[in-house]
Structures are given as structure tokens and as C-alpha cells.
Amino acid sequence: MSVPFLSVKPRSIKLKVSPRFPALLVGRAGVDVTKENGNYFLDLDFTDFPVVGSLPAGTNYALIFNAATGNYMQAPLTLLLTSELEARVSAIEARLSALE
């Protein structure tokens, strides 16, 4: 004996459903959620991130915002510190050359 409703083809079933995505968006530490005109926006909230005076050992990354592209990227702190050090050494060398 077969069950009649199991023989229904999927194409013959029609549902009127109003999809609601997302049902709930919650921003957590460092993330803000805003809804404008039916669109949800997820943004970083830098006020939620602490400022530290020293770094723990190991590889550490900084989150960098590129204003030109509007994108975030991770950069190792060693790259930032090396770049800053090189820039300072170059500036000192230029001043010393100007004095000679």
C-alpha cells in the first residue's frame, strides 16, 4: 500500500513564503550592525578594541584600513616597525648629509 502524498512531484508543490533573512544579526566585540533601507551593514567599532602599551611575544598583526579602497588588511607588526625604523634612519641620514 502506498501513501498518496508521497507520490507528489516537487514541481507541483507551490508555497508562498516571505523569506526573512537575516532573522537576527548581532554585533559582538568590535562589530557594529546597522540597518538602512532594508540593508544590513557590518562595521568595525574601534572603540571596542583596547590600546596596549606592549606586545606579547610571537607573531602579532595589526588591522590596517586602506581609505582609498575601503578595505581592511592584516599586516605583521614587524613590517610596520621595520618600515618606521627605515623611514627614521633615512630621515636622519638626510639631515646628516645636509650638515656636511
Side-chain angles (χ1 to χ4, degrees), residues 6-85:
L6 292 178
S7 63
V8 175
K9 295 180 182 178
R11 291 184 182 167
S12 64
I13 298 174
K14 294 182 181 180
L15 298 173
K16 288 188 177 184
V17 178
S18 177
R20 299 185 69 115
F21 176 80
L24 178 65
L25 276 179
V26 178
R28 297 188 68 158
V31 178
D32 285 340
V33 179
T34 55
K35 182 179 179 183
E36 293 177 14
N37 300 324
N39 295 318
Y40 289 87
F41 296 93
L42 303 172
D43 296 303
L44 288 176
D45 183 2
F46 288 100
T47 60
D48 286 350
F49 297 109
V51 177
V52 295
S54 64
L55 298 173
T59 304
N60 295 292
Y61 294 91
L63 189 62
I64 307 294
F65 178 71
N66 185 338
T69 63
N71 294 323
Y72 292 92
M73 62 189 94
Q74 289 185 38
L77 289 178
T78 54
L79 175 68
L80 297 175
L81 297 175
T82 303
S83 299
E84 177 66 25
L85 182 59

